Amino acid sequence: MEETIAGTDSAQMTGQIPQQRRESLLETAVRYAEERHWDVVPGTWLESVDGVQRCSCGHPACAVPGAHPAREDWATQATGSATVARRLWQKQPMASILLPTGRTFDALSVPETAGFLALARMERMSLTLGPVTLTPERRMQFLVLPGAAAKVPELVRKLGWSPSSLDLVVLGEGAYLAAPPTRYGSRGAVQWACRPTAANRWLPDAEELVSPLAYACGRER
């Protein structure tokens, strides 16, 4: 079973995000490791303090409550084993699901408006997409093959843009993204704009997606 959320591809391309299928964080983390062979790592979680949701890190002004690493050595805790993932989330069932980048995939992160514009352009170009997340911070993260961090700046320059002029961020080695259905405090949950399916098990190279993403980001400047 590959689908993470219900809905059609056409709905995704027009900006209508289908509802997340209800399942526990534990079940989802295990499935990511077992079916997608993604490394997963438990992050912080949300706690109710005097009726207010706070991050387990204890910082009242936490920027991403319940959606960041719980420890400094988080990368060493990451696992691709479904058995180990189950054990980790059994210890803390409310822990967020973090996916380290720079391993089985990198991610190209752009503003939500640019992301939906790029999705429509990619559909017209008949490009093969990997999974794409949509965060409560209104950013889209396009999963691509590892190695994007080294390629993207030069690819952007070849398209006539300065990398610093575009809000196109590469998440590579040492970084991570929060995976659905992780919640960002009261702001909502991470969702799939393009869900993981059997059809997109093989990820695109960053070179295939940079042009429409850079174009979309340029339009949003």
Side-chain angles (χ1 to χ4, degrees):
M1 181 171 58
E2 288 285 348
E3 295 191 3
T4 303
I5 54 177
T8 63
D9 291 335
S10 60
Q12 293 164 5
M13 290 300 184
T14 56
Q16 300 170 5
I17 302 301
Q19 290 299 307
Q20 179 80 28
R21 190 176 70 191
R22 293 182 181 276
E23 64 179 1
S24 73
L25 289 158
L26 184 154
E27 292 169 333
T28 307
V30 168
R31 187 156 50 80
Y32 288 155
E34 189 170 57
E35 297 179 7
R36 301 299 292 195
H37 305 294
W38 289 341
D39 282 2
V40 295
V41 60
T44 52
W45 56 92
L46 296 173
E47 299 175 332
S48 182
V49 180
D50 296 328
V52 178
Q53 285 190 325
R54 298 281 178 83
C55 185
S56 62
C57 71
H59 296 294
C62 179
V64 282
H68 64 85
R71 41 194 280 182
E72 291 186 3
D73 64 342
W74 62 269
T76 65
Q77 196 181 19
T79 179
S81 164
T83 301
V84 175
R86 183 176 298 279
R87 186 164 65 245
L88 289 171
W89 267 270
Q90 282 175 339
K91 292 179 180 178
Q92 181 44 257
M94 296 305 295
S96 55
I97 303 173
L98 307 181
L99 306 178
T101 50
R103 301 188 182 194
T104 51
F105 60 81
D106 282 358
L108 306 181
S109 176
V110 299
E112 174 188 310
T113 50
F116 278 121
L117 178 62
L119 281 176
R121 190 174 177 87
M122 290 171 187
E123 183 179 45
R124 293 194 299 271
M125 297 168 68
S126 298
L127 291 179
T128 301
L129 285 175
V132 181
T133 68
L134 175 62
T135 77
E137 294 180 308
R138 302 182 69 85
R139 294 193 70 84
M140 277 189 176
Q141 296 162 331
F142 292 71
L143 273 58
V144 295
L145 290 172
K151 296 179 179 180
V152 168
E154 184 58 28
L155 290 171
V156 169
R157 291 188 189 95
K158 287 181 178 179
L159 292 169
W161 299 95
S162 165
S164 62
S165 70
L166 300 180
D167 190 0
L168 171 55
V169 179
V170 184
L171 302 176
E173 186 175 358
Y176 64 89
L177 57 84
T182 294
R183 297 190 64 83
Y184 281 48
S186 60
R187 283 176 275 174
V190 184
Q191 301 180 63
W192 289 113
C194 291
R195 65 188 183 274
T197 67
N200 63 20
R201 179 174 292 278
W202 302 104
L203 299 176
D205 190 281
E207 189 169 357
E208 301 172 60
L209 306 188
V210 163
S211 178
L213 286 172
Y215 170 80
C217 288
R219 287 278 301 271
E220 292 298 313
R221 291 197 308 167

